[in-house]
Amino acid sequence: MTNISVEDITGDAPQQEPITDWKQYFSFSTDHKVIGIQYIVTAFILFLVGGIFAMIIRGELITPESDLVDRSVYNAMFTMHGTVMLFGWTFPILTGFANYLVPLMIGARDMAFPRLNAVAFWMIPIAAILLMASFFVPGGPAQAGWWSYPPVSLQNPTGNLINGEVIWLLAVAISGVSSIMGAINFVTTVVKMRAPGMTFFRMPIFVWNVFSAQIIQLFGLPVLTAGAVMLLLDLTVGTSFFDPAKGGDPVLFQHFFWFYSHPAVYVIILPVFGVFSEIFPVFARKPLFGYKIVAISSLLIAGVSGIVWVHHLYVSGTPGWMRLFFMLTTMFVSVPTGIKVFAWTATIWGGKLRFDTPMLFAFGALILFVFAGITGITLSSVPIDVHVNNTYYVVGHFHYVLYGTVTMGMFAAIYFWFPKMTGRMYYEGLGKLHFWLAFIGTNLNFFPMHPLGLQGMLRRVSSYAPEYEFWNIIASIGGFLLGVSTLPFILNMIGSWIHGEQAPKNPWRAIGLEWLVSSPPPVENFEEIPVVVGEPYGYGKSEPLVAEH
Amino acid sequence: MDSSIISEESDHLSHEHTHDEEGSKMFGFIVFLLSETFIFLGFFTAYIVYKTANPDWLPAGVSGLEVRDPAINTVILVSSSFVIYLAERALARHDLITFRQFLMLSIAMGSYFLVGQAIEWSHLSFGFTTGVFGGMFYLLTGFHGLHVLTGILLQILVFGRSFIPGNYDTGHFGVNATSIFWHFVDVIWIVLFVLIYIWQ
């Protein structure tokens, strides 16, 4: 029996033919890699749809008057933009990467329940088509914002049973059921399918973070579902759970909503933290600093995420003691998060840094995340939140999280694992152009929202006072730049998938089981299940990672 | 690291590693029930919030809910948990006849519960849209009733599958999962019964 060292797995391997033809990506495949790419591509298409809505919003806001679209269309635009970007882009793309990578990273041949996995994926396009169909019902799509607060969401001026809000609830419910199926599958896969020797503390941080995020899905999503069912009953059969006019309690809906939807931020961002933890050691050629504490901090974030939701309700009549408690718990999230930022900084520190596109995106996303984290802490503080609540300050903060960190982080992941997924290298020049356009666009678009919010400009308005015009023009220019930044990305992905240079199995000289197999990996991943005898991130240590049978 | 140590470790580990499919299915099923628990917790929390905020929140003309028949129903449903457990034990002994008998008894007890609930519903003087109480009452009992119905259908399924020769020779995942689901439905009912009927 021989051992394979880190040096051994960094060499190029004989190329393998791609395992599937393109038609398979349109089929009910149970291969986790096909499903992963199905998720990623579907998510990106929905990202473009959500992006078009964003362009309309920024087009409307470039002038103080409401002149591009009428107000009901504008309301529908920000509602659908938020909904599509969250339920159509961030969740599915992260599920896509988790699907593709987790079995490979833990040395499994597939997910625990491959058919359930395929069913979960196909619910996403169904939900998306349903959501888009709401443009064609009387009254148009939902206009109550992505949080659907009653009593606004209970208004049904057309009087039709089939209305935008009902369709919205059904689409979100379908995507929620899909996510619960996914969560059951991921948690079971990580617990039950790890290769021999792959102890919990030998798992890559990406797997740790997917695992932690899916635990949040398991306890959070059902609670949102309970609230959504009650809202749907209010809308369709005339119950009065959340209707204040009939004795209901609309604030209770806010609790249901945020009990899940705040932790959902961690569901989205934890896998991105996992991506950072994979990329920084590779491009700094150093082991991840403080592996165990970084792993544990993910679980800690998942745990604390369940007791922070009331910071969204500081101005909803929440009693003082409750505001104090939730202010402290919210602030506490910055501790495990800060540990991660410290660990990444220490990993980069003194490393031999290479700024290929994945590293550029990861590094840029980290910088933007630090800024988002600082504004996040300010928002957790009751006095500041009371001042800027429902203003553009909040919008600026969460866009630094959701675009600056999550979306940029996902682009880092796409570039990093593109050679593994397609067997081709992407074009570096186009990748860098994409990064700089996106990085500059993000800051131009979302930074001005902070001064706007501090000055008092409310969110969700289609017209505003002329003194807000300057920052809005800058923000709109940034928004359009972000729109343009997507073009080199699309060109790059399509062009290199067809004509790109053949990728070796391990172009980045990375450590991890997914880099042991050919690019793209064969159908069942591993000819023989590897036996793991070393720890991840052993850069420069020359430790054996796996033993050969 | 000494390569002989690695070889021994890897030998040991690779023998140990066979994908435990039944174990994965059961683990996945329990995880699913955990998430189901959180849906019910959501509804229970809503009930408690509404009830504590409105001490006299029963609909006009309703002084309270009848407890006797639901209490009998509760005893029947909870007892069926023991019956399905006995069915499981019979199957473990490969005693298919007893297994079927206990399963039929459990199905009958579950059906008695459902019919009892339907009769109760038909006698009530308030409806789904009669204020928040009416909504919560029918939502909770109806959602739980759907679970009872699912449990009965699952039991009918495993009962039917027992007639396929050799079906339960190697593994009992379907039966064990059905049994766990039935216990889950019972535990939820106990909480629900206390909340709605005892805490009036």
Side-chain angles (χ1 to χ4, degrees):
Chain A
M1 183 176 284
T2 55
N3 300 311
I4 300 177
S5 67
V6 170
E7 280 72 19
D8 293 331
I9 67 164
T10 55
D12 294 358
Q15 292 303 304
Q16 236 190 11
E17 285 301 304
I19 53 165
T20 53
D21 68 315
W22 63 272
K23 286 183 205 115
Q24 233 196 311
Y25 293 106
F26 294 91
S27 70
F28 188 84
S29 173
T30 52
D31 182 336
H32 73 96
K33 298 181 291 296
V34 174
I35 295 173
I37 291 176
Q38 285 176 327
Y39 264 112
I40 292 168
V41 173
T42 307
F44 185 72
I45 292 168
L46 291 167
F47 175 71
L48 295 179
V49 173
I52 290 168
F53 297 150
M55 295 301 107
I56 296 170
I57 293 169
R58 285 316 323 171
E60 172 61 66
L61 294 176
I62 207 162
T63 57
E65 303 82 27
S66 181
D67 46 11
L68 182 67
V69 287
D70 79 41
R71 283 184 186 172
S72 64
V73 174
Y74 184 82
N75 291 345
M77 284 299 114
F78 69 69
T79 301
M80 296 297 267
H81 167 72
T83 306
V84 169
M85 285 304 199
L86 282 162
F87 298 109
W89 161 244
T90 55
F91 285 107
I93 192 161
L94 292 162
T95 312
F97 271 98
N99 244 302
Y100 197 95
L101 293 171
V102 166
L104 282 167
M105 284 179 161
I106 62 170
R109 294 200 192 281
D110 207 323
M111 296 283 284
F113 309 116
R115 269 177 299 175
L116 186 73
N117 202 16
V119 172
F121 163 70
W122 282 103
M123 292 173 91
I124 298 296
I126 290 171
I129 290 167
L130 188 64
L131 197 63
M132 293 308 134
S134 67
F135 277 96
F136 304 100
V137 297
Q143 297 177 31
W146 86 279
W147 55 22
S148 262
Y149 278 179
V152 177
S153 56
L154 292 176
Q155 290 170 4
N156 182 7
T158 62
N160 284 289
L161 188 61
I162 304 294
N163 59 64
E165 192 61 37
V166 167
I167 292 180
W168 186 92
L169 277 165
L170 290 175
V172 170
I174 292 172
S175 112
V177 171
S178 157
S179 292
I180 290 179
M181 286 178 177
I184 292 167
N185 216 345
F186 281 118
V187 170
T188 309
T189 304
V190 172
V191 172
K192 289 287 193 179
M193 305 276 284
R194 282 170 289 126
M198 172 68 81
T199 58
F200 267 94
F201 282 115
R202 281 178 180 167
M203 291 195 312
I205 294 293
F206 182 80
V207 180
W208 266 101
N209 283 13
V210 168
F211 182 65
S212 307
Q214 297 301 326
I215 288 173
I216 297 175
Q217 295 281 59
L218 285 174
F219 72 75
L221 256 175
V223 175
L224 175 70
T225 307
V229 166
M230 291 162 77
L231 187 65
L232 190 62
L233 290 170
D234 276 2
L235 259 169
T236 52
V237 299
T239 50
S240 48
F241 299 121
F242 303 129
D243 189 348
K246 294 194 249 170
D249 181 1
V251 176
L252 185 63
F253 179 83
Q254 296 186 20
H255 284 282
F256 274 124
F257 184 84
W258 289 113
F259 182 79
Y260 169 67
S261 296
H262 192 82
V265 175
Y266 306 116
V267 174
I268 297 164
I269 210 164
L270 277 170
V272 176
F273 290 168
V275 170
F276 290 169
S277 300
E278 299 304 316
I279 289 179
F280 290 141
V282 172
F283 290 93
R285 309 309 303 167
K286 277 179 69 192
L288 181 71
F289 185 88
Y291 164 81
K292 275 195 180 174
I293 190 86
V294 173
I296 292 168
S297 68
S298 308
L299 275 182
L300 200 59
I301 290 174
V304 179
S305 75
I307 46 168
V308 299
W309 80 95
V310 175
H311 67 236
H312 291 271
L313 282 82
Y314 284 158
V315 295
S316 303
T318 307
W321 67 267
M322 211 188 251
R323 298 204 292 196
L324 183 63
F325 174 78
F326 282 94
M327 179 171 87
L328 294 175
T329 54
T330 305
M331 285 179 173
F332 181 73
V333 177
S334 61
V335 176
T337 313
I339 288 171
K340 284 179 186 293
V341 175
F342 178 79
W344 296 322
T345 314
T347 304
I348 295 167
W349 191 264
K352 291 179 184 162
L353 299 187
R354 274 187 57 189
F355 284 95
D356 295 298
T357 307
M359 179 62 165
L360 267 183
F361 268 99
F363 197 73
L366 177 59
I367 292 169
L368 298 172
F369 174 66
V370 170
F371 183 74
I374 292 167
T375 56
I377 292 174
T378 62
L379 280 170
S380 69
S381 166
V382 176
I384 297 175
D385 184 79
V386 167
H387 177 65
V388 295
N389 182 68
N390 237 359
T391 69
Y392 262 91
Y393 189 86
V394 181
V395 182
H397 159 72
F398 73 70
H399 276 90
Y400 263 85
V401 176
L402 291 169
Y403 199 103
T405 314
V406 174
T407 301
M408 299 269 280
M410 287 331 290
F411 282 128
I414 291 172
Y415 286 109
F416 187 59
W417 280 289
F418 183 82
K420 177 56 60 191
M421 293 176 168
T422 63
R424 306 275 186 173
M425 291 305 290
Y426 62 84
Y427 302 125
E428 192 65 48
L430 279 174
K432 286 186 169 141
L433 175 68
H434 174 206
F435 168 75
W436 285 111
L437 289 175
F439 188 77
I440 295 166
T442 300
N443 287 296
L444 278 182
N445 191 353
F446 306 123
F447 180 79
M449 294 180 176
H450 296 82
L452 278 174
L454 289 171
Q455 287 162 21
M457 179 171 165
L458 292 176
R459 60 196 289 202
R460 296 161 190 247
V461 290
S462 58
S463 59
Y464 52 81
E467 62 258 36
Y468 302 135
E469 189 173 13
F470 170 73
W471 285 118
N472 268 304
I473 291 173
I474 304 283
S476 290
I477 292 169
F480 300 139
L481 197 58
L482 274 186
V484 170
S485 78
T486 314
L487 298 177
F489 173 73
I490 296 171
L491 272 180
N492 201 351
M493 292 297 110
I494 295 175
S496 33
W497 204 331
I498 299 169
H499 298 297
E501 195 185 311
Q502 291 279 321
K505 72 173 179 179
N506 191 1
W508 311 119
R509 297 175 60 238
I511 296 173
L513 298 183
E514 80 269 32
W515 302 105
L516 284 173
V517 295
S518 57
S519 302
V523 174
E524 289 209 321
N525 299 346
F526 302 95
E527 210 170 291
E528 203 162 348
I529 295 294
V531 175
V532 180
V533 294
E535 286 167 18
Y537 312 113
Y539 295 94
K541 287 184 179 170
S542 303
E543 280 179 5
L545 178 72
V546 294
E548 201 178 70
H549 293 281
Chain B
M1 199 187 280
D2 182 349
S3 65
S4 64
I5 297 173
I6 298 166
S7 306
E8 276 170 32
E9 186 190 6
S10 56
D11 256 7
H12 166 69
L13 289 167
S14 58
H15 289 144
E16 199 180 84
H17 185 78
T18 46
H19 176 212
D20 169 18
E21 209 174 313
E22 287 263 305
S24 289
K25 280 200 251 178
M26 187 50 82
F27 183 86
F29 188 74
I30 289 169
V31 172
F32 162 71
L33 286 186
L34 275 176
S35 73
E36 280 268 286
T37 308
F38 275 93
I39 296 193
F40 277 105
L41 280 179
F43 288 139
F44 292 156
T45 308
Y47 187 91
I48 293 166
V49 167
Y50 287 131
K51 170 95 167 80
T52 42
N54 310 289
D56 48 323
W57 73 315
L58 291 174
V62 179
S63 54
L65 291 166
E66 163 70 45
V67 180
R68 200 199 61 180
D69 288 349
I72 294 169
N73 250 351
T74 305
V75 172
I76 302 268
L77 189 68
V78 173
S79 308
S80 70
S81 252
F82 294 100
V83 175
I84 202 169
Y85 168 69
L86 293 174
E88 256 187 304
R89 281 191 40 177
L91 187 65
R93 294 194 308 270
H94 304 288
D95 181 355
L96 271 179
I97 306 293
T98 315
F99 167 71
R100 288 181 195 132
Q101 286 168 345
F102 277 127
L103 207 55
M104 272 169 63
L105 183 59
S106 172
I107 292 167
M109 292 164 94
S111 306
Y112 177 91
F113 175 87
L114 267 192
V115 172
Q117 198 170 58
I119 292 170
E120 186 197 357
W121 275 22
S122 67
H123 286 103
L124 291 172
S125 59
F126 57 89
F128 203 9
T129 55
T130 316
V132 178
F133 173 79
M136 281 315 300
F137 175 84
Y138 285 101
L139 178 66
L140 279 172
T141 54
F143 191 58
H144 177 265
L146 268 180
H147 281 75
V148 176
L149 182 64
T150 309
I152 291 171
L153 293 176
L154 286 174
Q155 290 181 72
I156 292 171
L157 189 72
V158 295
F159 180 81
R161 282 165 59 94
S162 76
F163 289 95
I164 301 170
N167 206 12
Y168 290 140
D169 285 357
T170 49
H172 304 157
F173 166 72
V175 177
N176 296 340
T178 301
S179 169
I180 290 175
F181 185 77
W182 199 241
H183 301 320
F184 166 79
V185 167
D186 288 359
V187 171
I188 293 289
W189 176 259
I190 293 171
V191 179
L192 209 155
F193 179 74
V194 171
L195 274 184
I196 294 185
Y197 293 94
I198 306 291
W199 184 38
Q200 284 194 41

